[in-house]
Amino acid sequence: MALSRQTLTTTPGTSIELECLYHSPQGKWAYPYSEKIFHLRVRSKKNNVERVFALTGDKYDWEHHHQELEMLKVATDAYFDYWEAEIVPERKRFSYGFRFESGEETVWMVESGFHTKEQPAPPGGYYEMPYIHEVDLLHVPGWAKSAVFYQIMPDRFANGDPGNDPEGTLEWGGTPTTDSYFGGDLQGIIDHLDYILELGVTALYLTPIFEAPSNHKYDTVDYGTIDSSFGDIDLLKQLVDLAHSKGLKVVLDAVFNHTSAEFAPFKDVLEHGADSKYAHWFHIYDFPVKVVEGNPNYDTFGFFAGMPKLNTANPETREYLLGIAKFWLSEVHIDGWRLDVANEIDHAFWRDFRRAVKEINPEAFIIGEVWSDSLSWLQGDQFDSVMNYPLSDKVLEFFRSEDVDPGTFASQIYGLLMRYPRQANEVLFNLLASHDTPRVLTLLGGDTQRLKLAVTFLLTFAGTPCIFYGDEIGLTGEADPDCRKCMIWEEDRQDRELFSFYQQMIALRKKHKVLSTGHFRFLQSEAESRDLVYERFDNNTSFTVWMNNSSSPVTLQHSFGDRRRWQDAFSGEPVQMEGGRISITLEPLEYRILYSTCDSEA
């Protein structure tokens, strides 16, 4: 809540900035983390409040069933501090309010407003959580929390069967254009599953594989048929079954926002106009339909006349697409869908989509392509995750140079974490680059040391990391089509030291659950420095990551104030401490990861 100065009940000259205090009894501010645990968040002005308490209890018996919990400051951005508390109500319901303390001043905030004294027991204007209904929770697949994805563009990964190469296929490794084909296929992926396993990833995300006239396949002609240049349904079944036998999940890409102009229903509209039974499958302004590049008389993806936009609000269109989603889940047993241009499709369709998918496989992973704040899709009724491009932007901006100071970076990252409920943060689809962006090594100026810092952050941060094929062996490339180069398979042309680094980081994340589901906080991120220290932790384990994002050596120090023993996360060598303080010297663009558990107490 945010109230104007005229509505405040505090005395003049208050030091707590009431206009900055904010809470909403819904969304990311108040949400069930599980069927028994509820999270509360509240916001205050940065460095303006010393302590915050959540006052909670049963509204039907407040006298005997209420408590106060001190809230933790879990994030700070450029303007605000964010506080969080975990509530475990006795009967899945509770009323609540907040108490803010700063110096000698105390302010209470409940739904009815701000007050200078504690309010009577509920109802008394308190906020309410009437009941935690399990059906309303954002349930995310458990396997996705610990997954490490590998994105493959099939035409560019490996050519396993030259016999299905499309006409005009170029020699492998040539310079890509927007229209070039290189013959990569499903057999090529099958042939290189051992390489994928050697890298250590646990899940595959394939860009579209259904029949389409382009090399990228984002202009679908037939959603029920595998493109012949990639193979057929039996080969896809073989890939999925083999992947599953090796512990790999497989997620496919669905393009339900638009189709190819060669899509049979659209061709029928071109032929029969308003009399076509598919006339309402698309957003058409008038008839006859005119396929004019840049100015068609129907809605499209962007301004591409060859990609007419589907009307997902039309019942027949909706049922057709939902049938496609269910078919591939049931027939091939894929493990989820990545949804192209997801933010341009109506929310009602995605609610129906989630119900249809989860009825077949409750653990299917649903990832939406949304490039901005995605809270409205992550409320438990639509997606499990979204592609976290906002994180990519901030990470690359920080590690590509010394222009962004650690204080600003920490503020930005905290701001992103406060966008969503915790269970959404745990599976956000984190990436540094994809088929839609320049290669990460290119974005970082070709500097593998800076790449290692960025990848280290990616693989030790909250969320589900994804690696774009070839990044692990040093592929470079500007924007499309240059970022879509063929995978290099000759080991003498690969950066094998970089590959080993990726292996090591992935193995570390897989070995330690805390790197997937633990809490996150910055320990050092001073604006005047170029170094960074942050922590992933739970009740038993702590990892600290120390980074020097500068061209000069630095010595970092941090006091932990406990009796734990720390060791290097890779070598296991003990780390010397003096008076509870660790001191580490890092060379330019160097990092170090330390590890400690409750079992390692001195």
Side-chain angles (χ1 to χ4, degrees):
M1 61 177 296
L3 303 180
S4 66
R5 178 65 76 178
Q6 287 75 16
T7 63
L8 304 182
T9 58
T10 53
T11 56
T14 177
S15 61
I16 296 178
E17 297 284 351
L18 301 182
E19 293 91 338
C20 295
L21 301 182
Y22 183 83
H23 173 76
S24 174
Q26 58 192 345
K28 62 185 180 182
W29 300 97
Y31 62 90
Y33 179 68
S34 69
E35 57 270 22
K36 294 182 179 179
I37 298 174
F38 201 89
H39 286 178
L40 292 177
R41 290 177 182 167
V42 69
R43 188 191 76 187
S44 63
K45 183 180 178 181
K46 184 175 181 178
N47 298 327
N48 181 242
V49 173
E50 294 175 0
R51 302 173 75 191
V52 182
F53 294 86
L55 315 175
T56 74
D58 194 310
K59 69 177 180 180
Y60 296 110
D61 190 6
W62 184 267
E63 181 180 357
H64 298 100
H65 296 280
H66 77 278
Q67 62 179 333
E68 63 176 46
L69 297 173
E70 185 164 3
M71 303 183 75
L72 296 176
K73 186 190 294 188
V74 294
T76 299
D77 63 20
Y79 305 104
F80 303 109
D81 290 330
Y82 298 85
W83 307 78
E84 188 173 276
E86 187 172 277
I87 313 299
V88 184
E90 291 184 33
R91 295 179 177 83
K92 296 188 178 183
R93 65 177 184 238
F94 62 97
S95 298
Y96 65 95
F98 303 98
R99 186 175 78 244
F100 301 87
E101 297 180 357
S102 182
E104 299 298 317
E105 185 180 6
T106 301
V107 171
W108 281 262
M109 183 174 83
V110 293
E111 192 169 63
S112 63
F114 298 108
H115 305 273
T116 55
K117 60 182 180 180
E118 187 168 3
Q119 295 303 288
Y126 281 69
Y127 297 103
E128 279 196 26
M129 165 40 58
Y131 196 83
I132 301 176
H133 292 279
E134 187 173 357
V135 70
D136 292 332
L137 268 64
L138 169 57
H139 283 292
V140 297
W143 65 266
K145 294 182 180 182
S146 59
V148 179
F149 270 83
Y150 190 70
Q151 182 190 355
I152 292 175
M153 188 175 179
D155 183 64
R156 307 299 162 82
F157 187 63
N159 189 344
D161 181 7
N164 61 20
D165 289 357
E167 184 178 351
T169 294
L170 302 179
E171 182 178 353
W172 192 260
T175 302
T177 67
T178 55
D179 301 320
S180 55
Y181 293 86
F182 289 95
D185 49 31
L186 297 180
Q187 187 61 54
I189 300 173
I190 292 172
D191 293 344
H192 290 87
L193 280 181
D194 286 343
Y195 168 87
I196 292 168
L197 290 170
E198 181 187 7
L199 179 61
V201 297
T202 63
L204 302 179
Y205 150 42
L206 310 185
T207 57
I209 60 174
F210 306 118
E211 183 182 340
S214 65
N215 54 38
H216 53 72
K217 310 302 178 192
Y218 281 99
D219 48 352
T220 311
V221 170
D222 186 347
Y223 291 91
T225 302
I226 304 299
D227 195 277
S228 59
S229 67
F230 291 161
D232 56 24
I233 188 171
D234 290 332
L235 195 60
L236 178 62
K237 287 180 178 180
Q238 182 182 339
L239 169 59
V240 173
D241 289 346
L242 188 58
H244 285 172
S245 73
K246 295 178 180 293
L248 291 168
K249 303 287 188 180
V250 180
V251 169
L252 298 185
D253 207 328
V255 190
F256 292 158
N257 177 68
H258 56 273
T259 71
S260 165
E262 297 298 312
F263 182 51
F266 189 72
K267 291 179 69 176
D268 192 271
V269 173
L270 290 177
E271 182 177 353
H272 298 105
D275 294 328
S276 170
K277 65 178 181 178
Y278 301 107
H280 297 292
W281 279 47
F282 306 91
H283 298 270
I284 298 170
Y285 305 153
D286 51 59
F287 296 93
V289 173
K290 301 173 184 177
V291 184
V292 180
E293 201 62 51
N295 191 33
N297 60 340
Y298 53 90
D299 285 337
T300 61
F301 168 62
F303 292 96
F304 297 102
M307 295 183 178
K309 181 177 176 62
L310 286 162
N311 178 13
T312 50
N314 177 53
E316 291 82 12
T317 314
R318 182 176 64 248
E319 290 309 309
Y320 168 78
L321 295 176
L322 295 180
I324 291 296
K326 292 188 288 186
F327 172 80
W328 292 106
L329 283 163
S330 300
E331 187 70 19
V332 183
H333 306 297
I334 62 171
D335 300 289
W337 289 104
R338 182 267 189 186
L339 306 167
D340 190 59
V341 201
N343 59 328
E344 296 186 20
I345 296 176
D346 62 274
H347 291 282
F349 174 81
W350 289 133
R351 293 186 182 99
D352 290 341
F353 178 88
R354 183 180 183 87
R355 282 191 289 269
V357 166
K358 298 294 185 175
E359 283 176 4
I360 295 173
N361 181 5
E363 287 293 289
F365 195 26
I366 303 175
I367 311 157
E369 184 200 15
V370 185
W371 290 60
S372 53
D373 192 315
S374 308
L375 182 61
S376 58
W377 289 274
L378 298 173
Q379 299 291 302
D381 59 345
Q382 297 176 64
F383 306 155
D384 298 312
S385 176
V386 292
M387 300 186 76
N388 199 359
Y389 282 108
L391 176 70
S392 314
D393 294 341
K394 301 307 180 187
V395 171
L396 293 170
E397 184 182 21
F398 178 67
F399 287 112
R400 73 162 51 102
S401 69
E402 299 179 35
D403 294 340
V404 178
D405 66 82
T408 299
F409 178 64
S411 174
Q412 293 169 340
I413 296 301
Y414 275 142
L416 293 179
L417 285 173
M418 290 298 101
R419 282 185 171 186
Y420 307 119
R422 183 178 172 188
Q423 63 264 47
N425 284 327
E426 289 174 343
V427 294
L428 285 185
F429 205 70
N430 295 339
L431 65 163
L432 297 178
S434 74
H435 63 289
D436 285 324
T437 70
R439 288 275 174 176
V440 60
L441 187 54
T442 297
L443 288 167
L444 294 171
D447 191 327
T448 56
Q449 287 303 115
R450 291 192 177 278
L451 173 63
K452 289 179 180 180
L453 289 181
V455 172
T456 296
F457 189 86
L458 176 74
L459 289 168
T460 56
F461 186 63
T464 302
C466 180
I467 298 161
F468 189 34
Y469 79 92
D471 282 351
E472 75 280 4
I473 50 94
L475 274 189
T476 59
E478 298 291 346
D480 175 25
D482 196 40
C483 61
R484 303 176 181 185
K485 291 177 180 176
C486 294
M487 178 65 176
I488 295 173
W489 290 112
E490 300 86 354
E491 285 198 11
D492 60 348
R493 297 180 55 215
Q494 297 178 344
D495 186 336
R496 297 303 296 180
E497 192 277 330
L498 184 60
F499 179 87
S500 296
F501 159 77
Y502 270 88
Q503 271 186 315
Q504 185 182 50
M505 289 304 307
I506 293 169
L508 185 71
R509 184 179 182 90
K510 288 165 61 178
K511 182 178 179 180
H512 299 280
K513 183 180 178 181
V514 67
L515 293 176
S516 299
T517 59
H519 298 281
F520 174 92
R521 65 184 172 198
F522 287 100
L523 300 179
Q524 290 183 201
S525 54
E526 286 72 24
E528 64 274 8
S529 72
R530 286 296 176 267
D531 44 75
L532 196 68
V533 183
Y534 60 90
E535 182 180 25
R536 297 298 306 278
F537 65 98
D538 57 24
N539 291 333
N540 182 64
T541 307
S542 175
F543 275 82
T544 55
V545 184
W546 308 62
M547 291 183 167
N548 176 13
N549 189 41
S550 77
S551 55
S552 302
V554 298
T555 297
L556 305 179
Q557 294 184 340
H558 191 79
S559 179
F560 291 91
D562 59 27
R563 294 176 57 80
R564 286 188 178 187
R565 290 190 178 129
W566 291 82
Q567 61 191 45
D568 186 278
F570 297 114
S571 70
E573 295 180 1
V575 177
Q576 297 299 318
M577 299 183 70
E578 292 185 12
R581 178 177 292 272
I582 293 177
S583 179
I584 292 179
T585 298
L586 296 176
E587 295 301 315
L589 303 180
E590 189 179 17
Y591 70 94
R592 192 169 179 192
I593 303 176
L594 306 185
Y595 167 65
S596 176
T597 68
C598 288
D599 297 332
S600 62
E601 292 182 356

